[in-house]
Amino acid sequence: MKLPTVGEAAPTSQDVSAKVVSDLSVEVVSDSGEGAQKCGQIFGSVSAKMGNGVWTVEIIPAEVEPPPRQPAGASGIRIRLGDQEVTNWGDETNVVVAFNEQALMGRHHLNALAPDAVVLVENMWATHPDPTIRKEWEDAMEVLSKTDYRVIEVPMEEQCLTVVDNPRRGKNMFVLGLLSWIFQRDVDRAKEQIAHAFRTKKPEITERNHELLDLGFDWAAANLDFRYEIPAITSDVPKIVMNGNEAIALGSVAAGLELAAMYPITPATSVSHMLGDVFEKFGGTLHQAEDEIAAAGVAIGSSYAGKCAFTITSGPGLALKTEFLGLAIMAEIPLVLVDVQRGGPSTGLPTKVEQSDLLAAVFGQPGDAPHVVMAPATIEECFHIMTTARRIAEALRTVVMVLSDANLATGVAPFPRPELSAEWQSGPPDQRPIPEGANPYAWDEKTGLSRRFIPGQPGGEHTVTGLAHDQRSKVAYDSVINEHSSNMRSRKLAVLQSTLLPPQVRGDEEGDLLIVGWGSTKGAIEEAVDRARAQGLSVSSLHLTFLSPLAPGLKEIFQRFRKVMTVEINYSDKKGDPFITDENRRRGQLAWMLRASTLVDIDCWTRVLGEPLRPSKILEAIEGNMPNGENEL
Amino acid sequence: MKLPTVGEAAPTSQDVSAKVVSDLSVEVVSDSGEGAQKCGQIFGSVSAKMGNGVWTVEIIPAEVEPPPRQPAGASGIRIRLGDQEVTNWGDETNVVVAFNEQALMGRHHLNALAPDAVVLVENMWATHPDPTIRKEWEDAMEVLSKTDYRVIEVPMEEQCLTVVDNPRRGKNMFVLGLLSWIFQRDVDRAKEQIAHAFRTKKPEITERNHELLDLGFDWAAANLDFRYEIPAITSDVPKIVMNGNEAIALGSVAAGLELAAMYPITPATSVSHMLGDVFEKFGGTLHQAEDEIAAAGVAIGSSYAGKCAFTITSGPGLALKTEFLGLAIMAEIPLVLVDVQRGGPSTGLPTKVEQSDLLAAVFGQPGDAPHVVMAPATIEECFHIMTTARRIAEALRTVVMVLSDANLATGVAPFPRPELSAEWQSGPPDQRPIPEGANPYAWDEKTGLSRRFIPGQPGGEHTVTGLAHDQRSKVAYDSVINEHSSNMRSRKLAVLQSTLLPPQVRGDEEGDLLIVGWGSTKGAIEEAVDRARAQGLSVSSLHLTFLSPLAPGLKEIFQRFRKVMTVEINYSDKKGDPFITDENRRRGQLAWMLRASTLVDIDCWTRVLGEPLRPSKILEAIEGNMPNGENEL
Amino acid sequence: MSCSLLHAGHEDERTFEMGDYQGPVARWCSGCGDHSVLAAAQRLLTDEQLKPEDTVFVSGIGCSSRFPHYMTTYGFHGIHGRALTIATGVKLTRSDLDVFVVMGDGDCISIGAGHWIHAVRYNVDMVALLLDNNIYGLTKKQTSPTTPQGYKSNTQPRGSFLPPMNPLEATLGVSNASFVAQTAEWVPAHLFATLQAAYRHKGFSFVRILQRCPHFTSDMYEDAVKQPDLVEILSHPEGIQVEGLDKIYKSQIRHDPTDLNGARELAEDMNKIRLGLFFRDESRPIYNETRTIAKHTARQKMDLLNEEFDSYAV
Amino acid sequence: MSCSLLHAGHEDERTFEMGDYQGPVARWCSGCGDHSVLAAAQRLLTDEQLKPEDTVFVSGIGCSSRFPHYMTTYGFHGIHGRALTIATGVKLTRSDLDVFVVMGDGDCISIGAGHWIHAVRYNVDMVALLLDNNIYGLTKKQTSPTTPQGYKSNTQPRGSFLPPMNPLEATLGVSNASFVAQTAEWVPAHLFATLQAAYRHKGFSFVRILQRCPHFTSDMYEDAVKQPDLVEILSHPEGIQVEGLDKIYKSQIRHDPTDLNGARELAEDMNKIRLGLFFRDESRPIYNETRTIAKHTARQKMDLLNEEFDSYAV
Ligand SMILES: Cc1ncc(C[n+]2csc(CCOP(=O)(O)OP(=O)(O)O)c2C)c(N)n1
Ligand SMILES: Cc1ncc(C[n+]2csc(CCOP(=O)(O)OP(=O)(O)O)c2C)c(N)n1
Ligand code: SF4
Ligand code: SF4
Ligand SMILES: [Mg+2]
Ligand SMILES: [Mg+2]
């Protein structure tokens, strides 16, 4: 996959020849409330419908509505298009449309723009009555002039005023027209999408927006000298497009989960927004509890009384649920917990991505609390993992944690439309009588598995407890019983592990370097590894879905490579930093777990930049960490 | 150290020759409320005063006052005496005094008695009006007759009635007399102790108890044919005697800690009982909060506004404090947390010992949350560790966790009286003005250390936050700042680690087997290792005080032994159990950490029996795990 | 919880004796007030002929929270302070079950305060019993929020610093409260009548039960037990009526349970121990009935989901 | 918090202007009610000439909890729902500091409910401000406990299921409550007077501030803002007196702030928006003054400790 380069200006005309590129990123940025996101979403789905690979991700400021025209307040969206499936947000942006120069500067400061990016910026600020604003504009242009960007001023305000009297509400559709021309998007499709997006508003709105779309399209045709063509993927697999949180919400419906208890927290909340909207119609209940502890308690009570329930949260909420998780594990009550990870520790970076909850998820509960931890790697997996999680939770009578993150939560991409099967759903709670003498914890000596008794089952009456207990669920302080029951709870993980297959290596089965990842970084890692292999480097990658228990065969795989290194979005001490030795170095969280379980000297390359990893940075890390290469990063 | 054997019955007489033994355990068991513990405590301190090594530990039923005459309801105390310092509760009991045969059976079922134990049991039940009770007595005697115990019936009730009309309140003193004769205790010392114990009650009580003491003493003299002599340790080091929780309470005073915020939880609560009593007179405040979360918040608020504060809890409470710990670490607010570990997971075994909170303590907080974790190994260390913890917390501006457990909390033993130094206390909070331009997080680039600004300091005004922030404590979502501040918080651990010395190996510096332990198991492990070495086995032991960061030099030490094995009171899968493989085996918590950090194949021998490890069992484990030995346990 | 409704339709030949609800011997101290509450609950279940399999007792942690272990119904001995959250989950999922919650004063009023306040507002149809001995029992005598000011404990050995929290007053201060009553474990007839009224109320029934803890606070209710005139009974045809109770408890006061302000004034003044129904309002919205949740087969759900996909189709 | 006392004795030449308390530009939405509260607080500090270094603003998490960042005093931006616990720790340790707590409705009434109830009872000397916009702002429009029944949000899109919690009523239900007031951010004069009364009260001052959130609930207080007659002012010489406010707010009601039951009745009926001092009682015990803590030098402490050892000597 090669990075696109922007062609030189041809004389402005209707028939500008389009440059063919295989992969390209566009950003639309503005102050919040100007609709840049809506514009990008429509552009993205039109592109998807036209057969491109698409990944869109929103650029969200930390405040709800920060002061206007501030770099830190930039609000917008990135759309990455490709002639193949796009699995991640990519590297830098090639084309940027900015509603004001400050939002643009915000992106510039974050190195979000490619050195040769094409920048289309609203120029009303150059002539703004307020002198300080004019000054800000000049300073910004001064800075940009020192870059290799190609900056094109666009009179958005002026143009939109010909159609609407408050352009603040219309610019985004003008820009959509602009982009439609540049990328040769099917204007009718765009209009359909607009109509759909505003279906709840009155028809005039849609008409107005259609006009603005045409306006932008025509302006571009008359004034721009470059167009792009990203060849379509020819595939007739039906697809649906959504973000990871929507996929989790619909996935939970597919899994037959019927109660979700949560307390709002970014970036997990949008799962419950979706459920709040549709869950009841599917027979589900969304309970917004008074806090995360209560949410866990309600979910556990619900599971105890019937089907497996679930709770949704992020780091700080995970922390609060810790005690209840121990109870569910001890009393063997199935529970699914979704943790949409964000930047930590503490409140950290609430809207940004991180993979720093792994160790807390696996080891965070006081006492010995064996349970299952999994991580989806794609938006599609966000959907399907809910069924797997629910099934394991019920089969093993334990807690299953699903670790997603802000990258999957906000990333939007198409994936094959699932072919639903009723088997994915669990049946109604068993209400048959319990045979005389059967026990609520009749652990199978070999597997530790046992059948759960559900209220309503005559003869199954018993009291579950978080205290040490015997097979009859009677409180027991006896040494032998405590050893045995601990043993049975732990055994279940070994049983699950024995059913797992070793993960598939991507690339050669052996070589110089193996990159190991988990969760949302899969797309970026594989893109980087592919690029590295294209450069002739002997590198492969491995991605883990099961973190507890770990999949089998890892040590064998690791031993076939000269070096093994994890790539994670969490913190690790850098080699060579003051006081850091191989002995005291704090490593990436997965690296650390793999070292303990395989005793292989696993290195790590991790970053906590508050953004998804960029394939190009991972590529640099690979180049810098080839066992024979010097200057390891 | 050899186990004592009880001599054959000599003709009853005043001058029974005493058998000299180097180490012997006594238990007094009864229904709760009969004063067995008081009896044992006085016996223990008299023995300590007479120069014996002593370790006493209470036998506490799970309920406050369970129904009478039930094996599970046994309440009492064990006193282990030695001619050397006694560092743990030992193995089995050699002499048992039981107020009823059911309490006795309770101990028998738990294998608490040595095969050749001498059993002195109240015989009023044999002739009790209630036939079921008589039956219970007969059945019990039937069982006991099949053992090698030497059972001696004692007419306690009958005897006590000659002095008091309600023997329920007097038997314990009669038994104290009994024991005083058998172990040749100084009766005057015993009477002093009684007087001290009942100083708050009216004098008649003391007189009555003195009479009962004499009565028991004389009865024994007239009816028993065996006495023991445990030679005294000749040492003139002044000593004090208390349990681990009392040591933590007084240690916090010595450390200059001035605010303790807690919520009651077994087995940690007695620390606060002691503080509730004495803290105010030392200028301290004990705050019983509405829950553990609030306790953490109050302690953090207190630290923020002045001196380092602390909070005390156990497993379930640790879980609840998780979120606040992340905040203290992120905002770099010093905090000492004492976790008196109990059996888990969940409510588990509230009154029993376990070492299962290690991983949760080190890794339990979502996000990257570097902090310090230490564990005292003796009651004496419980006292001194509080000063170390407070100092590190303030020097590093972070959280320091102290992991004690129920074994140390309830064990009572003498230790050298600390020679107090005013330097142990921190000065009053700095209130000097802050120089222009100084920052609240002016991290030293090399060490990550910085000076804390305390409210009241003019010019130091700033807002601390759990959000990502820069040196000025301003909220910052910038990638570079987040990487850098994460780096600085982590660096502090490496700096601390660089100041630590490699731990001392006990025994040879190299050999076949190295036993590694942490926390309260030290005494039992070293006793077992000494016995093994006496048998000629090539085994040494290593005990860790620092768990995060780990002390330096461990890998080098480990590599000098053919096999390294941790001994811990927490759960691990047993080799050879169904489905358990070397790959999926869940190991002891310390073993797991050491594997990750040293990549040495460290084995573990762990138990969760709800009781302290017995030296004899550790010895068996050593024998079974010698690299050359077969049948590994 | 109007059981009649719930059990309508069921064909069930069984009749239940008191013994059918009695589990193993309770391991509370002798003389502990919890024993009487247990007996009253078992009597209630017998009277109402509740099916053991359709009845769930949920508790937190504490002496009182051992309660479910001594019943033969389904039980959930949860964690400290969180019983109400678990019970809410049970009822949200299974409105057909009768749910009882047993909590201590530390459990409900201290660590559980947030859940307690919100459970009152949710008004989920269940019975919540606060076994209030004004002390932490299981952990051996620490101050609780309801400990009288000046009363000595192991954490406040020179006496509790503050005036006690008044659970009735606080509950009455929460909007959507629908049933608030107080009774005493040493007045079995009144205790039983109160449990019955609470059970028959549709909505969240909060019952504070004054409970003796002879082991740690033997003096706490000594006088009130010895001198019935220290106790005042709230009487009203709409309230909790106990035949012949006025023989022993002469001081009675008429209180209409629909009068919220009257209830608050009675609850506030703590000079007298008042037993009875302070407030009841069956018209308050019940959280688990405020929504309409579709019932579908797995197939139907999957079909619906498939339709849903259309709006995400590329 | 009677500052006069606290500052007695100090020799300090400085005088402070409004600007001395103003931090960086607040990043709240334009028109957000939080801006007015910030201004009022800064005016209060100026009026009372509080030393920035001796003043601490503690908050939880939420839009409103960004408050301390926009002041130039010491500040503690804590975690969601726990601000009151942190503030309690600060005041227990440093009674010489003036402590203000800023919370949102989700922060204080939902996740923070337990701490809120207990803080009212502790009656620690500080000012607690509830910035109540009846919604979760920072997380983008979810139902809060004070959201009006039927009001649509992202988690309850068909309308809030339950009647809202009434923070005043609940606070008044907690024993040992000592200061309970309500004001509105769009009535600056009343807002300021209320903050001042709260600050000057010795004990825990709970102030509910009705706050507009134009971004998510622009309609919430629209009418009340436009039609002053929908608002009723509690007036009393002992209450919160605002010069000339009666010109705009004609409907006034006389209420004696020592009358607890009157306060409850006024708080309960939600047909009118009532602003003013509902209840005040300076005689309630203050937790951080209920104990006598010895003051010693390190040396003295060590000597005492050494004596203590004697009773453990072998
Ligand atoms: C999270 C947590 N904190 C603390 C404890 C310890 N604990 C057990 S019961 C209890 C309080 C007991 O008092 P109460 O709730 O009044 O019940 P009672 O024993 O008096 O019936 C406490 C603090 C615990 N088990 N879990
Ligand atoms: C433990 C925890 N749970 C949830 C969140 C997410 N969160 C941040 S602010 C907030 C509520 C905001 O509403 P409110 O308290 O009313 O303050 P407002 O924004 O309206 O001023 C929530 C749920 C969090 N930061 N921490
Ligand atoms: S301690 Fe008190 S509450 Fe607990 S069982 Fe004994 S008497 Fe009952
Ligand atoms: S979202 Fe509402 S509360 Fe938050 S800043 Fe904007 S207007 Fe204020
Ligand atoms: Mg209690
Ligand atoms: Mg709010």
Side-chain angles (χ1 to χ4, degrees), chain B residues 36-56:
Chain B
Q37 276 131 7
K38 170 84 77 211
C39 164
Q41 284 154 359
I42 296 176
F43 179 71
S45 54
V46 169
S47 300
K49 283 186 160 49
M50 291 177 68
N52 283 135
V54 179
W55 182 282
T56 65

Side-chain angles (χ1 to χ4, degrees), chain B residues 63-65, chain C residues 27-35 62-64 133 135-141 211-217:
Chain B
E63 296 83 11
V64 174
E65 183 194 311
Chain C
R27 300 177 63 81
W28 291 306
C29 304
S30 52
C32 174
D34 293 348
H35 291 290
C63 292
S64 39
N133 56 3
I135 200 78
Y136 284 11
L138 190 63
T139 44
K140 306 193 168 162
K141 201 173 191 184
Q211 176 232 322
R212 289 166 299 175
C213 169
H215 197 93
F216 291 123
T217 62

Side-chain angles (χ1 to χ4, degrees), chain A residues 323, chain B residues 263-265 292 316 320 342, chain C residues 61-64 80 104-107 111 133 135-139:
Chain A
E323 188 195 7
Chain B
Y263 184 75
I265 185 164
E292 284 89 349
L320 287 168
R342 61 190 228 178
Chain C
I61 297 288
C63 292
S64 39
H80 192 42
D105 43 321
D107 200 48
I111 191 171
N133 56 3
I135 200 78
Y136 284 11
L138 190 63
T139 44

Side-chain angles (χ1 to χ4, degrees), chain A residues 346-347, chain B residues 300-301 303-305 324 327-334 397 439-441 451-455 460-475, chain D residues 56-61 65-71 73-79 86 90:
Chain A
S346 194
T347 312
Chain B
I300 289 169
S303 283
Y304 162 79
F324 251 131
L327 175 66
I329 293 163
M330 180 62 142
E332 301 192 57
I333 296 167
R397 291 184 69 169
N439 285 327
Y441 295 101
R451 172 188 173 193
R452 188 161 67 100
F453 296 172
I454 296 171
E461 296 84 359
H462 69 289
T463 291
V464 297
T465 177
L467 281 161
H469 51 271
D470 63 16
Q471 302 216 355
R472 299 160 307 149
S473 195
K474 297 279 178 232
V475 175
Chain D
V56 183
F57 277 80
V58 182
S59 66
I61 296 288
S65 289
R66 290 300 180 90
F67 201 101
H69 289 284
Y70 309 137
M71 300 289 298
T73 64
Y74 276 90
F76 196 135
H77 182 203
I79 52 179
I86 294 169
V90 171

Side-chain angles (χ1 to χ4, degrees), chain C residues 152-170:
Chain C
K152 295 182 170 53
S153 81
N154 284 322
T155 42
Q156 298 182 4
R158 285 167 292 284
S160 171
F161 299 117
L162 297 170
M165 182 83 83
N166 181 327
L168 298 176
E169 226 183 324

Side-chain angles (χ1 to χ4, degrees), chain D residues 4-56:
Chain D
S4 48
L5 282 172
L6 296 177
H7 294 285
H10 289 234
E11 262 321 332
D12 197 327
E13 294 313 308
R14 297 174 294 169
T15 60
F16 302 99
E17 310 296 320
M18 190 94 162
D20 296 322
Y21 301 107
Q22 286 164 342
V25 180
R27 299 178 63 80
W28 291 306
C29 304
S30 53
C32 174
D34 293 348
H35 291 290
S36 354
V37 182
L38 180 66
Q42 288 163 341
R43 193 181 141 203
L44 174 73
L45 269 60
T46 318
D47 251 51
E48 303 285 345
Q49 285 294 296
L50 300 192
K51 298 213 198 76
E53 70 268 23
D54 292 341
T55 310
V56 183

